[in-house]
Amino acid sequence: GPYWAALLRPVLPAVLTVLVRRLQGEIDDVLDLRSVVLSAFVRDKEVLVDLFQKVGKVELEFLVESGLGFGAALGLGQMALWARKPYPWTLPLCGALVGYITNWIAIKLLFEPAEPVEVG
């Protein structure tokens, strides 16, 4: 209670200063930062989604705005192939290729941006 507070008050600033400096020097031994961050993201998925949307904002906007152009270009290619080879397998094959190419472009834009945004 009040007696302990009165007794520790004069020495507490010096003790805490030494303790904090030692913790700063050995923070990796005391705290697994990667584990703390991962568990926080798993616990609160809204924080992870918010971080992802903020960091990838420019790339996500580009994907949304350019979707019509990419879709039209890939669709015209699919139409040209169907006109030349109207076999039953061309539409599913083209659909799979369009999906693969679209996902590849999105992943490249999000995870390998031209101007990475530093976090922290």
Side-chain angles (χ1 to χ4, degrees):
Y3 298 113
W4 280 108
L7 182 67
L8 293 175
R9 186 163 290 141
V11 294
L12 205 51
V15 170
L16 286 177
T17 301
V18 170
L19 180 65
V20 168
R21 284 197 180 130
R22 289 189 66 193
L23 281 174
Q24 286 174 338
E26 302 171 11
I27 193 69
D28 292 332
D29 296 334
V30 177
L31 178 69
D32 182 8
L33 188 59
R34 179 182 171 88
S35 174
V36 170
V37 171
L38 286 175
S39 65
F41 284 149
V42 168
R43 208 174 35 254
D44 192 357
K45 293 187 180 27
E46 287 181 23
V47 172
L48 180 60
V49 169
D50 187 48
L51 175 68
F52 188 77
Q53 287 177 341
K54 284 180 182 175
V55 171
K57 185 176 191 308
V58 173
E59 289 80 9
L60 286 169
E61 287 174 356
F62 173 75
L63 286 173
V64 169
E65 293 170 1
S66 64
L68 178 65
F70 283 133
L74 294 171
L76 288 174
Q78 182 177 359
M79 184 178 67
L81 181 63
W82 175 255
R84 289 186 53 121
K85 305 280 184 186
Y87 300 120
W89 54 264
T90 55
L91 291 178
L93 177 68
C94 286
L97 285 173
V98 166
Y100 179 82
I101 291 168
T102 304
N103 288 341
W104 182 82
I105 291 170
I107 289 170
K108 286 291 185 184
L109 285 172
L110 290 175
F111 295 107
E112 296 178 15
E115 297 176 25
V117 175
E118 293 293 325
V119 178

